[in-house]
Amino acid sequence: MIVLEELTKDFGGKRAVDKLSLAIEPGKVTGFLGPNGAGKTTTMRLLLGLDAPTSGAALIDGVPYARLHTPLRTVGAMVDSRIGHPGQRAASHLLGLARSNSIPACRVGAVLAEVGLADAGHKRIGTFSLGMRQRLGIAGALLGDPQVLIFDEPVNGLDADGVVWIRRLMRAKAAAGATVFVSSHLMSEMQSTADHLVVIGRGRLIADDTIDNVIAESALNSITVATPDAAALAEALSRAGYSVTRTDSGALRITGASLEDVGGMAHGLGLRINELTLHKASLEQAYTELTSSSLDYVPTESERAAS
Amino acid sequence: MSTIQETTPASIRPARTRWAGAVAFEATKLASLRSTRIILPLALLGQAALAWLLGSSAQASGENGYDTAMPAPFIAFVSLQLSQLFIAVFAALSITSEYGSGTITTSLQAIPVRFRFLGAKAAVLGSIGFVAGAVLVGAGTLVAAPAAGSYGQFTPGQLATAMLGAGTYLGLLAMMMLGLGALLRSSAGAVTAAFVLLFGLPQVLPLFTVDAVQEAAGYLPTNAAAVLGTAAEQPYGPDTALAVLAAWTVVFLGAGYAALRGRDS
């Protein structure tokens, strides 16, 4: 269980994390989303006691990270892919971590095998690719068999197999009761991995809800309705306060209304309906909408047009 | 890889375990690093070379009628002025390389209490420095004694003084450099600072004609070490020398700890 209480962090005069309050529950994968610079990594570093909060608190199982008795046995985290000393061998890096937290040394071989580095344990970390380093970081996180996992952008540098692997790993850990807190800017990745979403922008909480609810509440959900008398329906819908546009095929596209609203209104007017479809926003769209107002760098109109 | 198979004893008390764990963490890292296997032998090589040079020079000068006779262990101690740099750099790099490689993040996740993290490092590096000092002077004596011949005769007591003095000095120097490394967080910066402290200031300060500066130069770590390792009584005794070195260590380690605790990692 991870709890943030009004967590705030200033760097110089700039506020990176702004009164963030959250409870991240066990048994779920909680996705942590936000545009670059939103404060995701800073929040995770505060959680691990790497940075000190300006005010507020970040607690794991009720205490700050530094108060955990053997932290690696409670929390497994990877917030920096620059893992280990380049001149050190992967297995000895893990062995040092194991010894530091009274973790049986036999776990070293076990986690190396678990992350697919069984044959690379004797290699120096400096020779590792980014993907291998990422796997080594995850091996370090799993070493103490912790009940809380914190990963910052874990899929960076992983190949397609690796992405599937880490997704399965996180799902399996959550199913076994672990608290899994994972940041990403890849919305599609979260859609298939996370149960719950925390979205932040400019250090502030924007959304804290299940994936389904985040999508359901998106203003980008729309309804397409095709009727022979589109003009009459459009007028009625507009009068009722919904936003209506005409598609190229002559159908109407309505936002802000439910299927029942549109169907009922057509029925009331005695109109024949040829098509009535709900278009759910993708998580990507819902997210873009949520965060567009909090972007640090908003593209100008000309940049938008160019892309 | 055979070390991986061993198991952790379960009977150790928790409070001790965490310190022991932090010490084991640092020792495991240093033992497996390639830089350890390069820097420490280089220190020994440098020590042997300079001890031989100084020993031969003592004999040559002595044969030409100059009074340059000096106990071989003290020749070996003087030779530390080269090899100490390797130990100083080794100690500074033990923490600055963690910042350089980014692995400091992982280390502080394993040992989040900064006092224990730095304290365990200081214990390991201090021990390595102590053993290195004694070994370097012992090896230096083995080389200097035959080179100096009759101009390097010494008593067992002089050997013990030099070995113990060198061990104490390099143990404390390693801790000073660890503190400096924690403060500066940069390998280049820490190595530069080590050169200034161990080479630059001892050369430059005596050039000033101001008495206060000359006197202050006597309290530099290198000069205090010379008193300690050769049982000299000038400009102060070995007890004062030990206190001076300890004070330098407390100042540097304290500054490093304050930086580690106060700053974000």
Side-chain angles (χ1 to χ4, degrees), chain A residues 6-50:
Chain A
E6 303 254 307
L7 187 65
T8 302
K9 178 67 179 178
D10 294 337
F11 289 115
K14 195 167 153 54
R15 183 149 289 196
V17 177
D18 195 358
K19 291 189 180 164
L20 206 53
S21 292
L22 277 176
I24 296 147
E25 289 166 9
K28 287 182 200 168
V29 175
T30 300
F32 191 31
L33 304 176
N36 288 337
K40 301 188 296 289
T41 301
T42 303
T43 302
M44 289 183 156
R45 291 178 58 86
L46 290 166
L47 203 43
L48 297 170
L50 294 168

mmCIF file of all heavy atoms in Angstrom, chain A residues 6-50:
data_model
loop_
_atom_site.group_PDB
_atom_site.id
_atom_site.type_symbol
_atom_site.label_atom_id
_atom_site.label_comp_id
_atom_site.label_asym_id
_atom_site.label_seq_id
_atom_site.Cartn_x
_atom_site.Cartn_y
_atom_site.Cartn_z
ATOM 1 N N GLU A 6 -0.588 15.012 0.411
ATOM 2 C CA GLU A 6 -0.253 16.394 0.054
ATOM 3 C C GLU A 6 1.212 16.510 -0.351
ATOM 4 O O GLU A 6 1.887 17.496 0.016
ATOM 5 C CB GLU A 6 -0.535 17.334 1.233
ATOM 6 C CG GLU A 6 -1.974 17.280 1.723
ATOM 7 C CD GLU A 6 -2.760 18.517 1.320
ATOM 8 O OE1 GLU A 6 -2.299 19.629 1.600
ATOM 9 O OE2 GLU A 6 -3.828 18.345 0.698
ATOM 10 N N LEU A 7 1.707 15.528 -1.048
ATOM 11 C CA LEU A 7 3.127 15.493 -1.392
ATOM 12 C C LEU A 7 3.482 16.660 -2.319
ATOM 13 O O LEU A 7 2.831 16.877 -3.337
ATOM 14 C CB LEU A 7 3.449 14.167 -2.091
ATOM 15 C CG LEU A 7 4.915 13.886 -2.378
ATOM 16 C CD1 LEU A 7 5.690 13.735 -1.076
ATOM 17 C CD2 LEU A 7 5.061 12.633 -3.213
ATOM 18 N N THR A 8 4.499 17.422 -1.915
ATOM 19 C CA THR A 8 4.889 18.610 -2.669
ATOM 20 C C THR A 8 6.401 18.667 -2.795
ATOM 21 O O THR A 8 7.121 18.378 -1.841
ATOM 22 C CB THR A 8 4.384 19.890 -1.949
ATOM 23 O OG1 THR A 8 2.967 19.804 -1.820
ATOM 24 C CG2 THR A 8 4.750 21.140 -2.729
ATOM 25 N N LYS A 9 6.880 19.001 -3.993
ATOM 26 C CA LYS A 9 8.321 19.143 -4.192
ATOM 27 C C LYS A 9 8.612 20.340 -5.085
ATOM 28 O O LYS A 9 8.084 20.429 -6.195
ATOM 29 C CB LYS A 9 8.890 17.870 -4.835
ATOM 30 C CG LYS A 9 10.376 17.936 -5.134
ATOM 31 C CD LYS A 9 11.202 18.000 -3.876
ATOM 32 C CE LYS A 9 12.694 18.047 -4.164
ATOM 33 N NZ LYS A 9 13.484 18.163 -2.927
ATOM 34 N N ASP A 10 9.438 21.247 -4.577
ATOM 35 C CA ASP A 10 9.900 22.390 -5.374
ATOM 36 C C ASP A 10 11.348 22.180 -5.751
ATOM 37 O O ASP A 10 12.154 21.754 -4.934
ATOM 38 C CB ASP A 10 9.799 23.685 -4.551
ATOM 39 C CG ASP A 10 8.364 24.063 -4.238
ATOM 40 O OD1 ASP A 10 7.470 23.613 -4.975
ATOM 41 O OD2 ASP A 10 8.143 24.809 -3.265
ATOM 42 N N PHE A 11 11.675 22.495 -6.990
ATOM 43 C CA PHE A 11 13.082 22.559 -7.403
ATOM 44 C C PHE A 11 13.352 24.018 -7.721
ATOM 45 O O PHE A 11 12.841 24.530 -8.707
ATOM 46 C CB PHE A 11 13.336 21.699 -8.645
ATOM 47 C CG PHE A 11 13.281 20.221 -8.377
ATOM 48 C CD1 PHE A 11 12.297 19.437 -8.950
ATOM 49 C CD2 PHE A 11 14.217 19.626 -7.541
ATOM 50 C CE1 PHE A 11 12.248 18.070 -8.710
ATOM 51 C CE2 PHE A 11 14.181 18.252 -7.304
ATOM 52 C CZ PHE A 11 13.187 17.488 -7.879
ATOM 53 N N GLY A 12 14.168 24.655 -6.900
ATOM 54 C CA GLY A 12 14.357 26.088 -7.078
ATOM 55 C C GLY A 12 13.004 26.733 -6.896
ATOM 56 O O GLY A 12 12.310 26.459 -5.921
ATOM 57 N N GLY A 13 12.582 27.549 -7.849
ATOM 58 C CA GLY A 13 11.276 28.177 -7.703
ATOM 59 C C GLY A 13 10.166 27.372 -8.364
ATOM 60 O O GLY A 13 8.998 27.718 -8.255
ATOM 61 N N LYS A 14 10.544 26.273 -9.042
ATOM 62 C CA LYS A 14 9.551 25.562 -9.842
ATOM 63 C C LYS A 14 8.949 24.399 -9.063
ATOM 64 O O LYS A 14 9.679 23.604 -8.468
ATOM 65 C CB LYS A 14 10.221 25.043 -11.120
ATOM 66 C CG LYS A 14 9.227 24.608 -12.178
ATOM 67 C CD LYS A 14 9.964 24.408 -13.512
ATOM 68 C CE LYS A 14 9.280 23.409 -14.416
ATOM 69 N NZ LYS A 14 7.869 23.674 -14.683
ATOM 70 N N ARG A 15 7.646 24.325 -9.082
ATOM 71 C CA ARG A 15 6.959 23.251 -8.360
ATOM 72 C C ARG A 15 6.831 22.034 -9.270
ATOM 73 O O ARG A 15 6.194 22.089 -10.319
ATOM 74 C CB ARG A 15 5.593 23.747 -7.904
ATOM 75 C CG ARG A 15 4.835 22.732 -7.094
ATOM 76 C CD ARG A 15 3.935 23.402 -6.069
ATOM 77 N NE ARG A 15 4.720 23.995 -4.996
ATOM 78 C CZ ARG A 15 4.209 24.377 -3.816
ATOM 79 N NH1 ARG A 15 2.936 24.255 -3.581
ATOM 80 N NH2 ARG A 15 4.975 24.909 -2.883
ATOM 81 N N ALA A 16 7.464 20.935 -8.870
ATOM 82 C CA ALA A 16 7.446 19.729 -9.704
ATOM 83 C C ALA A 16 6.288 18.815 -9.326
ATOM 84 O O ALA A 16 5.682 18.167 -10.166
ATOM 85 C CB ALA A 16 8.763 18.981 -9.570
ATOM 86 N N VAL A 17 5.998 18.752 -8.026
ATOM 87 C CA VAL A 17 4.891 17.943 -7.539
ATOM 88 C C VAL A 17 4.085 18.832 -6.600
ATOM 89 O O VAL A 17 4.637 19.481 -5.722
ATOM 90 C CB VAL A 17 5.396 16.686 -6.786
ATOM 91 C CG1 VAL A 17 4.216 15.894 -6.229
ATOM 92 C CG2 VAL A 17 6.220 15.808 -7.724
ATOM 93 N N ASP A 18 2.774 18.899 -6.850
ATOM 94 C CA ASP A 18 1.949 19.896 -6.198
ATOM 95 C C ASP A 18 0.819 19.254 -5.384
ATOM 96 O O ASP A 18 -0.199 18.854 -5.930
ATOM 97 C CB ASP A 18 1.375 20.823 -7.279
ATOM 98 C CG ASP A 18 0.805 22.108 -6.704
ATOM 99 O OD1 ASP A 18 0.837 22.254 -5.468
ATOM 100 O OD2 ASP A 18 0.337 22.944 -7.489
ATOM 101 N N LYS A 19 1.013 19.129 -4.093
ATOM 102 C CA LYS A 19 -0.028 18.633 -3.169
ATOM 103 C C LYS A 19 -0.725 17.385 -3.697
ATOM 104 O O LYS A 19 -1.943 17.326 -3.802
ATOM 105 C CB LYS A 19 -1.049 19.728 -2.895
ATOM 106 C CG LYS A 19 -0.456 20.856 -2.082
ATOM 107 C CD LYS A 19 -1.525 21.821 -1.631
ATOM 108 C CE LYS A 19 -0.913 22.950 -0.826
ATOM 109 N NZ LYS A 19 -1.817 24.089 -0.697
ATOM 110 N N LEU A 20 0.069 16.395 -4.009
ATOM 111 C CA LEU A 20 -0.457 15.152 -4.566
ATOM 112 C C LEU A 20 -0.901 14.234 -3.415
ATOM 113 O O LEU A 20 -0.103 13.896 -2.548
ATOM 114 C CB LEU A 20 0.654 14.501 -5.382
ATOM 115 C CG LEU A 20 0.291 13.563 -6.521
ATOM 116 C CD1 LEU A 20 -0.685 14.226 -7.477
ATOM 117 C CD2 LEU A 20 1.561 13.167 -7.264
ATOM 118 N N SER A 21 -2.171 13.870 -3.401
ATOM 119 C CA SER A 21 -2.675 12.924 -2.401
ATOM 120 C C SER A 21 -3.259 11.721 -3.127
ATOM 121 O O SER A 21 -4.084 11.877 -4.020
ATOM 122 C CB SER A 21 -3.750 13.586 -1.527
ATOM 123 O OG SER A 21 -3.179 14.578 -0.727
ATOM 124 N N LEU A 22 -2.806 10.547 -2.722
ATOM 125 C CA LEU A 22 -3.188 9.336 -3.444
ATOM 126 C C LEU A 22 -3.120 8.138 -2.516
ATOM 127 O O LEU A 22 -2.346 8.134 -1.565
ATOM 128 C CB LEU A 22 -2.152 9.034 -4.539
ATOM 129 C CG LEU A 22 -2.220 9.716 -5.884
ATOM 130 C CD1 LEU A 22 -1.014 9.274 -6.673
ATOM 131 C CD2 LEU A 22 -3.497 9.337 -6.592
ATOM 132 N N ALA A 23 -3.908 7.127 -2.822
ATOM 133 C CA ALA A 23 -3.718 5.829 -2.166
ATOM 134 C C ALA A 23 -3.637 4.799 -3.287
ATOM 135 O O ALA A 23 -4.552 4.702 -4.110
ATOM 136 C CB ALA A 23 -4.882 5.526 -1.237
ATOM 137 N N ILE A 24 -2.518 4.090 -3.345
ATOM 138 C CA ILE A 24 -2.344 3.096 -4.397
ATOM 139 C C ILE A 24 -2.470 1.719 -3.759
ATOM 140 O O ILE A 24 -1.684 1.354 -2.888
ATOM 141 C CB ILE A 24 -0.998 3.300 -5.113
ATOM 142 C CG1 ILE A 24 -1.045 4.661 -5.812
ATOM 143 C CG2 ILE A 24 -0.747 2.197 -6.126
ATOM 144 C CD1 ILE A 24 0.271 5.340 -5.875
ATOM 145 N N GLU A 25 -3.481 1.001 -4.192
ATOM 146 C CA GLU A 25 -3.880 -0.197 -3.464
ATOM 147 C C GLU A 25 -3.221 -1.470 -3.969
ATOM 148 O O GLU A 25 -2.836 -1.565 -5.132
ATOM 149 C CB GLU A 25 -5.410 -0.326 -3.528
ATOM 150 C CG GLU A 25 -6.073 0.728 -2.672
ATOM 151 C CD GLU A 25 -7.558 0.871 -2.962
ATOM 152 O OE1 GLU A 25 -8.102 0.036 -3.716
ATOM 153 O OE2 GLU A 25 -8.142 1.814 -2.420
ATOM 154 N N PRO A 26 -3.105 -2.444 -3.068
ATOM 155 C CA PRO A 26 -2.529 -3.732 -3.458
ATOM 156 C C PRO A 26 -3.482 -4.527 -4.353
ATOM 157 O O PRO A 26 -4.671 -4.232 -4.414
ATOM 158 C CB PRO A 26 -2.317 -4.446 -2.122
ATOM 159 C CG PRO A 26 -3.188 -3.759 -1.142
ATOM 160 C CD PRO A 26 -3.411 -2.364 -1.635
ATOM 161 N N GLY A 27 -2.929 -5.507 -5.043
ATOM 162 C CA GLY A 27 -3.748 -6.385 -5.877
ATOM 163 C C GLY A 27 -4.102 -5.785 -7.219
ATOM 164 O O GLY A 27 -4.908 -6.343 -7.956
ATOM 165 N N LYS A 28 -3.518 -4.624 -7.521
ATOM 166 C CA LYS A 28 -3.833 -3.960 -8.787
ATOM 167 C C LYS A 28 -2.569 -3.426 -9.425
ATOM 168 O O LYS A 28 -1.600 -3.135 -8.734
ATOM 169 C CB LYS A 28 -4.716 -2.725 -8.535
ATOM 170 C CG LYS A 28 -6.131 -2.992 -8.155
ATOM 171 C CD LYS A 28 -6.804 -1.642 -8.016
ATOM 172 C CE LYS A 28 -8.070 -1.743 -7.193
ATOM 173 N NZ LYS A 28 -8.558 -0.420 -6.836
ATOM 174 N N VAL A 29 -2.642 -3.283 -10.737
ATOM 175 C CA VAL A 29 -1.597 -2.518 -11.418
ATOM 176 C C VAL A 29 -2.137 -1.103 -11.585
ATOM 177 O O VAL A 29 -3.184 -0.903 -12.187
ATOM 178 C CB VAL A 29 -1.267 -3.107 -12.808
ATOM 179 C CG1 VAL A 29 -0.260 -2.212 -13.530
ATOM 180 C CG2 VAL A 29 -0.732 -4.525 -12.677
ATOM 181 N N THR A 30 -1.449 -0.144 -10.974
ATOM 182 C CA THR A 30 -1.864 1.253 -11.102
ATOM 183 C C THR A 30 -0.920 1.958 -12.070
ATOM 184 O O THR A 30 0.282 2.033 -11.826
ATOM 185 C CB THR A 30 -1.840 1.966 -9.737
ATOM 186 O OG1 THR A 30 -2.734 1.279 -8.851
ATOM 187 C CG2 THR A 30 -2.270 3.415 -9.866
ATOM 188 N N GLY A 31 -1.497 2.434 -13.167
ATOM 189 C CA GLY A 31 -0.698 3.160 -14.158
ATOM 190 C C GLY A 31 -0.566 4.609 -13.742
ATOM 191 O O GLY A 31 -1.513 5.206 -13.232
ATOM 192 N N PHE A 32 0.622 5.161 -13.932
ATOM 193 C CA PHE A 32 0.903 6.535 -13.518
ATOM 194 C C PHE A 32 1.258 7.304 -14.779
ATOM 195 O O PHE A 32 2.319 7.110 -15.359
ATOM 196 C CB PHE A 32 2.068 6.503 -12.527
ATOM 197 C CG PHE A 32 2.321 7.783 -11.804
ATOM 198 C CD1 PHE A 32 1.299 8.671 -11.510
ATOM 199 C CD2 PHE A 32 3.606 8.105 -11.376
ATOM 200 C CE1 PHE A 32 1.543 9.843 -10.815
ATOM 201 C CE2 PHE A 32 3.871 9.264 -10.680
ATOM 202 C CZ PHE A 32 2.836 10.145 -10.403
ATOM 203 N N LEU A 33 0.328 8.130 -15.216
ATOM 204 C CA LEU A 33 0.478 8.768 -16.517
ATOM 205 C C LEU A 33 0.601 10.267 -16.408
ATOM 206 O O LEU A 33 0.059 10.892 -15.509
ATOM 207 C CB LEU A 33 -0.753 8.461 -17.386
ATOM 208 C CG LEU A 33 -1.080 6.997 -17.601
ATOM 209 C CD1 LEU A 33 -2.369 6.876 -18.379
ATOM 210 C CD2 LEU A 33 0.043 6.325 -18.332
ATOM 211 N N GLY A 34 1.277 10.814 -17.376
ATOM 212 C CA GLY A 34 1.378 12.264 -17.453
ATOM 213 C C GLY A 34 2.358 12.612 -18.548
ATOM 214 O O GLY A 34 3.218 11.812 -18.895
ATOM 215 N N PRO A 35 2.220 13.818 -19.096
ATOM 216 C CA PRO A 35 3.156 14.236 -20.143
ATOM 217 C C PRO A 35 4.571 14.349 -19.571
ATOM 218 O O PRO A 35 4.744 14.376 -18.358
ATOM 219 C CB PRO A 35 2.646 15.615 -20.572
ATOM 220 C CG PRO A 35 1.385 15.855 -19.837
ATOM 221 C CD PRO A 35 1.261 14.861 -18.743
ATOM 222 N N ASN A 36 5.565 14.449 -20.449
ATOM 223 C CA ASN A 36 6.933 14.651 -19.972
ATOM 224 C C ASN A 36 6.989 15.884 -19.080
ATOM 225 O O ASN A 36 6.389 16.904 -19.387
ATOM 226 C CB ASN A 36 7.881 14.855 -21.155
ATOM 227 C CG ASN A 36 8.100 13.557 -21.907
ATOM 228 O OD1 ASN A 36 7.922 12.480 -21.346
ATOM 229 N ND2 ASN A 36 8.457 13.663 -23.173
ATOM 230 N N GLY A 37 7.696 15.750 -17.968
ATOM 231 C CA GLY A 37 7.829 16.899 -17.072
ATOM 232 C C GLY A 37 6.647 17.073 -16.141
ATOM 233 O O GLY A 37 6.565 18.063 -15.414
ATOM 234 N N ALA A 38 5.710 16.114 -16.126
ATOM 235 C CA ALA A 38 4.528 16.251 -15.281
ATOM 236 C C ALA A 38 4.852 15.989 -13.811
ATOM 237 O O ALA A 38 4.099 16.377 -12.924
ATOM 238 C CB ALA A 38 3.431 15.301 -15.736
ATOM 239 N N GLY A 39 5.990 15.320 -13.543
ATOM 240 C CA GLY A 39 6.368 15.041 -12.157
ATOM 241 C C GLY A 39 6.307 13.573 -11.781
ATOM 242 O O GLY A 39 6.389 13.235 -10.605
ATOM 243 N N LYS A 40 6.193 12.698 -12.768
ATOM 244 C CA LYS A 40 6.083 11.261 -12.474
ATOM 245 C C LYS A 40 7.345 10.725 -11.802
ATOM 246 O O LYS A 40 7.284 10.105 -10.745
ATOM 247 C CB LYS A 40 5.842 10.453 -13.765
ATOM 248 C CG LYS A 40 4.602 10.829 -14.531
ATOM 249 C CD LYS A 40 4.337 9.862 -15.686
ATOM 250 C CE LYS A 40 5.413 9.860 -16.756
ATOM 251 N NZ LYS A 40 5.450 11.075 -17.573
ATOM 252 N N THR A 41 8.479 10.969 -12.450
ATOM 253 C CA THR A 41 9.736 10.444 -11.901
ATOM 254 C C THR A 41 10.031 11.070 -10.538
ATOM 255 O O THR A 41 10.451 10.367 -9.613
ATOM 256 C CB THR A 41 10.896 10.706 -12.888
ATOM 257 O OG1 THR A 41 10.580 10.057 -14.116
ATOM 258 C CG2 THR A 41 12.201 10.161 -12.360
ATOM 259 N N THR A 42 9.786 12.363 -10.417
ATOM 260 C CA THR A 42 10.018 13.037 -9.137
ATOM 261 C C THR A 42 9.160 12.409 -8.040
ATOM 262 O O THR A 42 9.650 12.145 -6.933
ATOM 263 C CB THR A 42 9.704 14.538 -9.258
ATOM 264 O OG1 THR A 42 10.507 15.082 -10.288
ATOM 265 C CG2 THR A 42 9.990 15.265 -7.951
ATOM 266 N N THR A 43 7.895 12.129 -8.356
ATOM 267 C CA THR A 43 7.013 11.506 -7.365
ATOM 268 C C THR A 43 7.582 10.160 -6.916
ATOM 269 O O THR A 43 7.620 9.847 -5.724
ATOM 270 C CB THR A 43 5.601 11.300 -7.968
ATOM 271 O OG1 THR A 43 5.102 12.564 -8.372
ATOM 272 C CG2 THR A 43 4.659 10.669 -6.955
ATOM 273 N N MET A 44 8.060 9.380 -7.890
ATOM 274 C CA MET A 44 8.610 8.058 -7.553
ATOM 275 C C MET A 44 9.894 8.192 -6.735
ATOM 276 O O MET A 44 10.127 7.422 -5.803
ATOM 277 C CB MET A 44 8.848 7.253 -8.823
ATOM 278 C CG MET A 44 7.522 6.806 -9.455
ATOM 279 S SD MET A 44 7.768 5.775 -10.902
ATOM 280 C CE MET A 44 6.204 4.880 -10.937
ATOM 281 N N ARG A 45 10.726 9.180 -7.064
ATOM 282 C CA ARG A 45 11.963 9.393 -6.297
ATOM 283 C C ARG A 45 11.652 9.840 -4.867
ATOM 284 O O ARG A 45 12.346 9.458 -3.926
ATOM 285 C CB ARG A 45 12.867 10.407 -7.008
ATOM 286 C CG ARG A 45 13.466 9.860 -8.318
ATOM 287 C CD ARG A 45 14.310 10.916 -9.019
ATOM 288 N NE ARG A 45 15.376 11.390 -8.164
ATOM 289 C CZ ARG A 45 16.562 10.808 -8.045
ATOM 290 N NH1 ARG A 45 16.836 9.738 -8.746
ATOM 291 N NH2 ARG A 45 17.470 11.302 -7.238
ATOM 292 N N LEU A 46 10.607 10.636 -4.711
ATOM 293 C CA LEU A 46 10.196 11.058 -3.367
ATOM 294 C C LEU A 46 9.732 9.845 -2.565
ATOM 295 O O LEU A 46 10.029 9.695 -1.381
ATOM 296 C CB LEU A 46 9.070 12.097 -3.448
ATOM 297 C CG LEU A 46 9.469 13.477 -3.992
ATOM 298 C CD1 LEU A 46 8.221 14.297 -4.338
ATOM 299 C CD2 LEU A 46 10.318 14.234 -2.983
ATOM 300 N N LEU A 47 9.016 8.967 -3.264
ATOM 301 C CA LEU A 47 8.491 7.759 -2.649
ATOM 302 C C LEU A 47 9.620 6.861 -2.134
ATOM 303 O O LEU A 47 9.489 6.187 -1.111
ATOM 304 C CB LEU A 47 7.674 7.020 -3.709
ATOM 305 C CG LEU A 47 6.588 6.036 -3.359
ATOM 306 C CD1 LEU A 47 5.720 6.532 -2.230
ATOM 307 C CD2 LEU A 47 5.735 5.797 -4.601
ATOM 308 N N LEU A 48 10.750 6.871 -2.844
ATOM 309 C CA LEU A 48 11.877 6.010 -2.483
ATOM 310 C C LEU A 48 12.885 6.730 -1.590
ATOM 311 O O LEU A 48 13.963 6.197 -1.299
ATOM 312 C CB LEU A 48 12.580 5.515 -3.748
ATOM 313 C CG LEU A 48 11.698 4.636 -4.640
ATOM 314 C CD1 LEU A 48 12.370 4.397 -5.981
ATOM 315 C CD2 LEU A 48 11.391 3.310 -3.950
ATOM 316 N N GLY A 49 12.560 7.948 -1.185
ATOM 317 C CA GLY A 49 13.467 8.679 -0.302
ATOM 318 C C GLY A 49 14.736 9.148 -0.991
ATOM 319 O O GLY A 49 15.711 9.500 -0.334
ATOM 320 N N LEU A 50 14.746 9.149 -2.323
ATOM 321 C CA LEU A 50 15.937 9.620 -3.046
ATOM 322 C C LEU A 50 15.974 11.142 -3.032
ATOM 323 O O LEU A 50 17.033 11.744 -2.958
ATOM 324 C CB LEU A 50 15.935 9.096 -4.483
ATOM 325 C CG LEU A 50 16.074 7.575 -4.599
ATOM 326 C CD1 LEU A 50 15.766 7.109 -6.017
ATOM 327 C CD2 LEU A 50 17.477 7.145 -4.197
#
